[in-house]
Amino acid sequence: MNPKPLNQARDADVRNITAALQRAGQRARALAVQTETFIVVVRDGKLIKEAPGNPNRS
């Protein structure tokens, strides 16, 4: 595995992956609110089912 930070990668797609994943998470949460469904996240290596709009999310 390459020890360089992602923001120093040659490929623009790799450099922008963090922002893309954050946008995807925001869209998933918005969809969960709209459809009143849970969202499943991994926290501390465990699968957690979160209610939409849960203020305890990080």
Side-chain angles (χ1 to χ4, degrees):
M1 190 167 180
N2 190 339
K4 274 194 198 175
L6 290 177
N7 62 358
Q8 293 180 4
R10 292 182 191 169
D11 188 337
D13 289 337
V14 174
R15 285 193 309 267
N16 297 320
I17 193 69
T18 302
L21 288 171
Q22 288 174 340
R23 285 192 307 272
Q26 289 171 345
R27 288 184 185 138
R29 290 185 194 293
L31 182 61
V33 169
Q34 290 173 354
T35 58
E36 297 180 2
T37 57
F38 287 94
I39 186 164
V40 178
V41 296
V42 176
R43 190 167 288 125
D44 298 325
K46 297 179 182 176
L47 288 176
I48 307 292
K49 205 159 61 164
E50 272 186 3
N54 183 352
N56 295 325
R57 64 186 161 106
S58 47

